[in-house]
Amino acid sequence: MKPARIDDRALPPLFDIGPLWAILWGRRLLVFAITGAALLLALLYLAVTSPSYTATASILIDPRDARATNFNNVLPGIGADSAAIASQVFVIESQDLLGTVFDSQKLQNDPEFSSRGPISRLMSLFGGTSSQDAAFKRFQKAVSVEREGLTYVINVSFTSPSPEKAARLANAIVDRYKASLAGERETANDDVNSLLNDRIKGLQKDVSDAERAVEDFKSQHRIVDPTDGGTLQSQLDQLTTQLIAAQGDADKAKDRYNQALAAGTSAAGLAKLSEILSSNAAANLRDDYNQRATELANLETMYGPRHPAIGRLRSELDRINRLMAGEAMRIRQQLKANYDLAVQNAAKLQDKLEALRQQSQDSSLAQVQLRQLDSRAQAARTVLDDFLKRAQETSQLQGVQTSEARTISAAAPPLQPTWPKPALLLPVSVLLGLMAGCGLALTLGPVGRPQDDPSIQRRDAPQAVDPAKDGPQAKPRSLPVPADFGEYRLPGVAGGAALANIKAMRKSLFETGNETLSLAVLRLMRQILGRLSDHPKPFVLLVSSMQSSAEARLAGAMVGIGLQRAEQNVLVVEVGDLPHRAGYGSGLFIDGASGLRTVAAGGAAGQGQQSRDRNSLPSILAEAGNAFDFVLVVAPSLGEEGWDSELFAKADLTLFALNRSERASDAAGLIERHLGAGQVERSATLLIAQDSAQPGETRQDVPSKAGDWRRGAIART
């Protein structure tokens, strides 16, 4: 079923304080008695309860880290993070810290914590907790640690019957917490020192091995250290310079040798040779040759070519020429030897240079490996230096650690007990007793009246007495009547049939300016929905009357239109022979007057047995189960022959439409006679009064009548 949409703006209030106050006033003695009992219990509790005192010590968690040196602490401070500060509450409440305080204060045998009641003794017999554990649990329950808002302040409280003991234990917990913070740092320093010293030994061995590997690699590959005397590159540069010089010397020696070959063995050639290669013998031979040649020329001029002295001089000149030729040959051989020596020197230097170049290439690959080994050695030295530095720092931090927590307010013995508080307990007990008394009074209901459903309005009506059955002296009995849903003045047409009146009512419901009738119908929907019990759809509403079925049809149309406006799927089932439906047939059709989907139940004359079974009410209800939220059955009146008691058995609620001449007590009598007195609870009545207009009149012509039916529509809702 879809949720009904009903406008509550003009409906009566759901909560009325008047009936509640009447119930409370009628049962005021009960309310006062329960309130007095609660106050008496509070006084009794104050008399038997021993006072307890709570002492509180406040500590400040300072996130600032005080440093006496420039060294970094091994264990940093707690920090300024809110979660870190809040976690210190759980540290203080931890079992280890409280257990240390419990043992140091020797509270195992303290009667406040070690005394056991009969229940504790009984539990210990069946394997419960030991007495020491139970004492520690009681001590732990007396401790309360709370953070002061979002600040860095933590309050440590202890509750005890003795104010001095409460203050002493609260301060002991704070002192232990502060000592644990400083001890944690010292312990961390000791642990880190041990780890660093153990690690430094291994790092020193790693550095030694790495440096030894570097030196071994240098020795194996004959890599010269630049600080010990030249490198391969400097040697290459020196050999290159020497090779260039040797090649220059070879070229010069070759040129001199070629010049010597071109000079020949004459005196002039010998002079050139003496210039090429300095030789004293060549110079003397050249001087002797020139002297003899001069003498020969002089003698030939003086004595002629046949003079014996001239022959002797010519012999001397020949001898000198031979000596000059020998000297020239010697000089040429020496120049050739110098040239060959220069060429050999250049070749040797070239070979050495090639060898050094090959060695340089091999050394480049070795240098790569050497750099890798040296990098490893350098990294090991760096790590070792860091460890040595950190070990020295941590060793100097011993004894200079400071605590982040400091006491800003030590616990003092409280003067006033924290519990019980009479100023709080007495007013609260009175209030709780008053609330309990009012609740019980409202549950019991009004004094001297049966508990009724607020949504059901009952009236006592006299029931007819049968003298033959009850005796001549029997008195009329009171009979509960159906719920009264009020009076509704509906517009109609004077002398018109039921369909014309339904059309006039529908038009008025949807006509602008007739909101009063619409609100009255919506109130009726609320009353109907309040009487229904929740179950799977559809809900079956039976509409009938006492004598004439005209009121039933008009009331059924009004209820159906109201449910349709509340966004419910409605099917109208008209039961009995309906001559005014002639021509519609037996299937589902749209009623032209009400605009509702309608089906006729009960066969007309001439229909077969199969058709009548299909149009029976059980068949219609079975088919409407998944398609409709409400099935509105318009049944014949109780006074007609077509009334069937089985119709009432299938209905969730029966509405009886009455006219002004009929009373609800009469309807109750008919219901008891036809259905039994127990079925009156599932029934309700509504008074239908029509305000008919004369033919030709409009709504504007009869304002008094319009006002009359509008007032009558809400007269009894």
Side-chain angles (χ1 to χ4, degrees), residues 224-231:
V224 181
D225 193 348
T227 59
D228 297 337
T231 61

Side-chain angles (χ1 to χ4, degrees), residues 411-461:
L415 300 178
Q416 298 294 332
T418 56
W419 190 260
K421 295 183 177 180
L424 175 64
L425 282 177
L426 296 179
V428 170
S429 63
V430 172
L431 179 61
L432 293 178
L434 188 61
M435 293 174 60
C438 292
L440 182 59
L442 293 176
T443 303
L444 296 177
V447 178
R449 294 179 57 189
Q451 183 180 357
D452 295 334
D453 188 348
S455 62
I456 303 176
Q457 299 182 12
R458 298 174 180 268
R459 289 180 296 173
D460 292 336

Side-chain angles (χ1 to χ4, degrees), residues 3-25:
R5 297 178 179 268
I6 299 177
D7 190 358
D8 293 338
R9 290 175 296 179
L11 296 180
L14 297 178
F15 182 78
D16 191 359
I17 194 63
L20 296 181
W21 176 251
I23 295 175
L24 295 177
W25 182 253

Side-chain angles (χ1 to χ4, degrees), residues 614-626:
R614 183 178 180 183
N615 293 333
S616 64
L617 183 60
S619 299
I620 294 174
L621 293 178
E623 294 180 1
N626 296 326

Side-chain angles (χ1 to χ4, degrees), residues 463 479-482 638 664-675 680:
Q463 185 180 7
L479 179 68
V481 297
L638 292 177
S665 58
D666 299 335
L670 290 176
I671 294 173
E672 182 184 20
R673 186 164 53 253
H674 286 279
L675 305 173
V680 179

Side-chain angles (χ1 to χ4, degrees), residues 42 85 117 140 164 196 226 266 307 325 390 484 491 496 530 549 560 586 628 703 713:
I85 302 300
Q140 196 173 21
E164 291 78 10
L196 288 176
S266 63
H307 190 275
R390 188 56 179 163
D484 186 4
S549 61
S586 60
F628 296 94

Side-chain angles (χ1 to χ4, degrees), residues 67-73 390 393 397:
R67 291 191 178 181
T69 65
N70 197 27
F71 300 154
N72 292 325
N73 294 326
R390 188 56 179 163
E393 290 178 356
L397 286 175

